[in-house]
Amino acid sequence: MKKLALKELSADLRELYDAALAAREHAYIPYSHFAVGAAVRCASGAVYGGCNIENASYGLCVCGERNAIFHAVGAGERELEALCVLADTEEPVSPCGACRQVMSEFKIKTIVLANLKGDCLLCTLEDLLPYGFTL
Ligand code: THU
């Protein structure tokens, strides 16, 4: 994992950060008040955003990362190359285990964890989910 400032990211990854920031604006968070935004870049070049969406039945809450991935896959994308996730945290936000497993399903190569201050951690799937489940 590599710690970087936003301005040290490649232009592609900075664009993904901005898309995650925009997606976060739509977070539906009446219960936790914790807004998460994510964005995925696909081999096609298209970028898909997602935010967390909560529910009064708490177990039905869905994370921003998974919504961004499902948005891309639901649009027909199968080659997901990079993902950025961000939240208003002291350190770059750490994705939950379920989201790590979903990232693993689509073999996302480059993952940027970030916060609103622009602190970034450049990670691989192996960093986030060593010895993950496969069928
Ligand atoms: N959340 C995410 O969106 N991504 C994560 O990886 C962890 C948690 C959301 C779920 C819930 O809406 C809120 O953060 C508090 O758990």
Side-chain angles (χ1 to χ4, degrees):
M1 281 195 280
K2 195 170 176 197
K3 249 183 170 172
L4 291 171
L6 184 56
K7 61 180 187 320
E8 297 176 286
L9 293 181
S10 65
D12 269 13
L13 292 179
R14 280 203 309 271
E15 192 190 311
L16 211 50
Y17 180 99
D18 289 340
L21 202 57
R24 182 176 173 275
E25 290 297 313
H26 301 294
Y28 176 75
I29 48 167
Y31 306 104
S32 74
H33 305 290
F34 183 74
V36 178
V40 181
R41 175 184 297 283
C42 301
S44 66
V47 168
Y48 298 84
C51 57
N52 53 332
I53 300 176
E54 301 189 336
N55 193 280
S57 175
Y58 294 166
L60 302 182
C61 295
V62 183
C63 297
E65 303 91 306
R66 264 178 293 155
N67 272 334
I69 293 169
F70 294 158
H71 184 188
V73 174
E77 302 284 358
R78 290 296 180 269
E79 285 183 62
L80 280 54
E81 293 190 329
L83 177 144
C84 176
V85 56
L86 52 81
D88 189 8
T89 44
E90 189 50 39
E91 298 297 324
V93 69
S94 178
C96 77
C99 287
R100 293 175 193 220
Q101 182 67 34
V102 173
M103 291 175 201
S104 154
E105 179 70 25
F106 295 100
K107 302 182 176 60
I108 300 179
K109 288 184 280 291
T110 304
I111 299 158
V112 178
L113 314 183
N115 62 18
L116 298 190
K117 297 181 288 181
D119 303 321
C120 299
L121 260 183
L122 191 56
C123 308
T124 64
L125 257 178
E126 194 49 35
D127 293 326
L128 295 178
L129 192 67
Y131 201 54
F133 177 75
T134 53
L135 267 183

